[in-house]
Amino acid sequence: MASSREWFETVAEAQRRAKKRLPKSVYMALVAGSEQGITLKDNVDAFSEIGFRPHIADLPQSREQATRVLGQDISFPVIISPTGVQAVSPDGEVAVARAAASAGTAIGLSSFASKPIEDVVAANPQTFFQMYWVGTRDRILQRAERARKAGAQALIVTLDWTFATRRDWGSPPIPERLDLKAMVKFAPEGIVRPKWLLDFARHGGLPDLTTPNLAAPGEQAPTFFGAYGEWMQTPLPTWDDVKWLREQWDGPFAVKGIMHPDDARRAVDIGATAISVSNHGGNNLDGTPASIRALPAVVDAVGDQIEVLLDGGIRRGSDVVKALAMGARAVMIGRAYLWGMAANGEAGVSNVLQILRSGIDEALLGLGRSSVHDLVRDDLIVPPDFTRVPQN
């Protein structure tokens, strides 16, 4: 199917359309990486260094993509990664949840999301709630209990963040709230992107920059920067803290941000169900290798003891297959679906998921594999110097 007004054939096309539609500050917030963007770039480029070893006959007539992650059966090995306050589309995470549900997969909802967890679970019962270590243990437990009551199927604790906010090319300015002063300042950006502005206007106003999932019962939802300030003042978590939270949550439990085999082993020790090999999309410590480079060593260290996911740089179905062949159970996507939503709302998210599903199927066919569970490292051609992380 050729690209049309309502359909795009690649994630790259979704990104081009997103850039044309979004105000500059909103778009830059989606593509930004810390400092020089070395890790951000490597997340994507590393996949191009990996080759395939295809077959040409006796290929499978059908290919199976279904798998199980964090206790949930999903139709293909792609999960929505949690992302923070979204100013991409008025329906935000609820639209993403509906698209994921239609595709038969799960959504990770950020604690910094713009929509309440109750609304997102209503749109997609396969919701995983993501938390940072923000506030006291009592407040953290309060949020976990709210997620449990809402129907979240798993808890994801993200640890790969060191408040690295510097961008060598300049960070996009984000107002604390869209008051009159902020609207005047950002008006020129909105005027030159009228479709984005009109979309929000039809839904009752400008983006809400509050974080409803971080509000205690009876409290007003804090602004993004209010919540961020509390986070910065919270003592950094220890593995004992993470173990404590795992003990409070009796369902599937994931630790996101693993790049070192030692940390993967610690996640196993505290009883985690899954880990996500991730460098926070290139928004943490710049110079960290791509997630896919770290994946083999992590899988070798703990892969038979815990579910291993990969987050970072996925742009094609073939990228998903490469990650699975290296030992991942599934992948998580962030920027890709946000570009899809910017390009065409909920339908754009569905479009991105279909692109990835089709690409996985095509790669399985070329490799002669009838299932994602049949993929092995021998299906790949990996350069000797590809991994740039500790091996023990």
Side-chain angles (χ1 to χ4, degrees):
M1 179 187 295
S3 292
S4 66
R5 182 177 179 180
E6 298 298 327
W7 177 266
F8 41 85
E9 288 193 297
T10 66
V11 172
E13 175 63 19
Q15 182 179 0
R16 286 191 289 271
R17 295 187 187 191
K19 186 175 183 179
K20 288 182 179 179
R21 184 176 178 276
L22 294 175
K24 182 179 179 181
S25 293
V26 178
Y27 177 75
M28 288 301 294
L30 297 187
V31 299
S34 60
E35 297 193 326
Q36 297 181 71
I38 295 170
T39 299
L40 173 71
K41 185 174 186 295
D42 196 39
N43 268 351
V44 176
D45 291 350
F47 282 99
S48 67
E49 298 177 25
I50 305 170
F52 285 123
R53 296 163 56 92
H55 291 283
I56 60 169
D58 293 329
L59 302 180
Q61 296 300 316
S62 61
R63 281 75 57 194
E64 177 58 59
Q65 297 191 33
T67 191
R68 186 172 177 82
V69 175
L70 288 168
Q72 297 297 299
D73 293 319
I74 55 177
S75 67
F76 74 129
V78 177
I79 299 168
I80 298 296
S81 188
T83 58
V85 175
Q86 294 181 10
V88 174
S89 176
D91 287 338
E93 295 86 358
V94 173
V96 178
R98 289 195 298 258
S102 295
T105 193
I107 174 174
L109 178 70
S110 173
S111 55
F112 277 73
S114 62
K115 302 295 181 182
I117 185 170
E118 292 81 4
D119 294 353
V120 174
V121 171
N124 187 342
Q126 292 185 300
T127 295
F128 307 144
F129 185 61
Q130 176 270 345
M131 297 176 63
Y132 294 104
W133 199 263
V134 179
T136 64
R137 281 191 174 190
D138 285 346
R139 287 181 67 84
I140 290 168
L141 184 58
Q142 191 175 68
R143 295 175 193 127
E145 290 298 331
R146 177 182 172 183
R148 188 201 314 276
K149 183 178 180 180
Q153 299 297 319
L155 198 65
I156 301 172
V157 179
T158 299
L159 300 179
D160 58 336
W161 184 253
T162 54
F163 305 104
T165 58
R166 293 162 303 283
R167 312 282 187 260
D168 281 17
W169 55 85
S171 296
I174 302 174
E176 182 167 4
R177 54 176 56 86
L178 287 174
D179 54 16
L180 180 60
K181 181 180 179 181
M183 286 189 281
V184 170
K185 179 179 179 180
F186 287 91
E189 290 190 25
I191 290 171
V192 297
R193 294 291 185 266
K195 290 183 179 179
W196 176 88
L197 193 61
L198 287 172
D199 200 12
F200 274 96
R202 291 191 193 102
H203 287 76
L206 293 171
D208 184 359
L209 300 182
T210 59
T211 56
N213 295 303
L214 289 173
E219 286 185 354
Q220 185 176 0
T223 65
F224 174 84
F225 284 105
Y228 195 82
E230 181 185 11
W231 184 14
M232 291 185 72
Q233 295 171 43
T234 302
L236 296 173
T238 65
W239 277 110
D240 284 341
D241 289 324
V242 182
K243 181 181 179 181
W244 165 82
L245 182 57
R246 203 284 169 263
E247 291 169 348
Q248 310 308 308
W249 181 269
D250 57 6
F253 184 96
V255 177
K256 186 175 182 291
I258 300 293
M259 287 294 292
H260 197 295
D262 287 350
D263 288 333
R265 295 185 186 100
R266 296 300 297 270
V268 170
D269 290 343
I270 61 110
T273 311
I275 55 175
S276 176
V277 178
S278 170
N279 51 42
H280 215 96
N283 277 289
N284 192 31
L285 181 61
D286 198 28
T288 302
S291 300
I292 190 69
R293 297 191 194 279
L295 180 62
V298 170
V299 169
D300 288 346
V302 299
D304 59 343
Q305 304 170 69
I306 197 169
E307 296 174 14
V308 180
L309 311 177
L310 178 120
D311 190 328
I314 298 293
R315 301 291 183 268
R316 301 168 183 83
S318 58
D319 296 339
V320 179
V321 169
K322 289 172 182 178
L324 268 55
M326 284 190 167
R329 175 76 63 91
V331 304
M332 305 178 80
I333 62 168
R335 290 182 177 90
Y337 79 79
L338 290 172
W339 291 329
M341 185 160 63
N344 195 23
E346 180 181 334
V349 180
S350 296
N351 194 156
V352 164
L353 293 173
Q354 182 56 48
I355 287 168
L356 296 178
R357 188 194 298 272
S358 297
I360 294 168
D361 185 69
E362 292 160 5
L364 288 174
L365 177 61
L367 293 170
R369 298 297 185 186
S370 60
S371 168
V372 292
H373 300 287
D374 296 335
L375 292 164
V376 294
R377 289 188 195 175
D378 196 47
D379 290 321
L380 307 177
I381 302 170
V382 182
D385 63 345
F386 179 76
T387 57
R388 302 171 186 172
V389 295
Q391 297 298 308
N392 51 49

